[in-house]
Amino acid sequence: TALALAAHGKCPLVVVRGTAVPDGPIVVGVDGSPTSEAAIAFAFEAASRRGVPLIAAMAYQDFVVEGGYQSSRIVFDWAEVEADERRLLAERLAGREEKHPEVKVERVVLWDRAAPALLGLAARAQLLVVGSHGRGGFAGMLLGSTSRTLVYHSPCPLAIVRPS
């Protein structure tokens, strides 16, 4: 039921599962796409109302090309990739911190896939907030793979927020 509502709902959906840490932070997954803007706004409002800190998290990973006979990693300068991700996170948070000066924001950039990174951070949170899908979304897809995974495995309540 939660997955169907998350895939087809037109408004934010909170899936109440796991155990919320009463004084824990709000965690928001930021993927750098415009679709995460609604999730960021929702997370700031939730943190402000509850008087708790906000953890804004981005995850990135290396790229693997797989063929019929072998797989190989595409080599990047990972320090440069991390710096780019930090810049992108700052861009997505721009203006929100000024609008909500009462919210203490921790910016986290992790070298991991999005779902495991967010699950790790959510273990100590009272609410995890994500968008419906982002960078890797296919046209017509109603719910991204990260959101689907979190519906099943989030250790705390999960808010899935669609853009307006």
Side-chain angles (χ1 to χ4, degrees), residues 78-159:
W78 291 111
E80 187 176 317
V81 172
E82 181 178 353
D84 287 345
E85 294 293 313
R86 288 191 183 283
R87 273 191 295 279
L88 185 56
L89 180 57
E91 287 172 14
R92 291 295 173 213
L93 297 178
R96 308 264 186 214
E97 291 172 289
E98 292 78 15
K99 185 177 177 184
H100 294 282
E102 73 284 2
V103 176
K104 180 181 176 231
V105 179
E106 179 183 349
R107 298 175 185 187
V108 177
V109 175
L110 299 167
W111 185 25
D112 200 352
R113 293 183 327 266
L118 292 172
L119 288 171
L121 292 169
R124 60 184 176 107
Q126 61 176 277
L127 179 66
L128 173 59
V129 182
V130 295
S132 56
H133 65 78
R135 273 197 290 221
F138 293 101
M141 191 177 220
L142 298 173
L143 193 64
S145 61
T146 299
S147 299
R148 293 174 72 83
T149 299
L150 296 174
V151 165
Y152 285 113
H153 300 290
S154 180
C156 68
L158 166 70

Side-chain angles (χ1 to χ4, degrees), residues 8-119:
H8 299 286
K10 303 288 187 227
C11 63
L13 170 76
V14 177
V15 179
V16 180
R17 55 166 296 120
T19 305
V21 177
D23 59 346
I26 305 296
V27 175
V28 61
V30 180
D31 66 5
S33 73
T35 61
S36 67
E37 292 297 316
I40 294 167
F42 186 95
F44 265 98
E45 289 293 329
S48 177
R49 272 189 310 248
R50 297 171 187 203
V52 298
L54 175 68
I55 297 175
M58 284 190 81
Y60 66 97
Q61 61 184 358
D62 44 315
F63 301 93
V64 177
V65 177
E66 297 201 18
Y69 299 103
Q70 66 183 13
S71 67
S72 61
R73 292 186 190 278
I74 297 174
V75 179
F76 291 102
D77 177 353
W78 291 111
E80 187 176 317
V81 172
E82 181 178 353
D84 287 345
E85 294 293 313
R86 288 191 183 283
R87 273 191 295 279
L88 185 56
L89 180 57
E91 287 172 14
R92 291 295 173 213
L93 297 178
R96 308 264 186 214
E97 291 172 289
E98 292 78 15
K99 185 177 177 184
H100 294 282
E102 73 284 2
V103 176
K104 180 181 176 231
V105 179
E106 179 183 349
R107 298 175 185 187
V108 177
V109 175
L110 299 167
W111 185 25
D112 200 352
R113 293 183 327 266
L118 292 172
L119 288 171

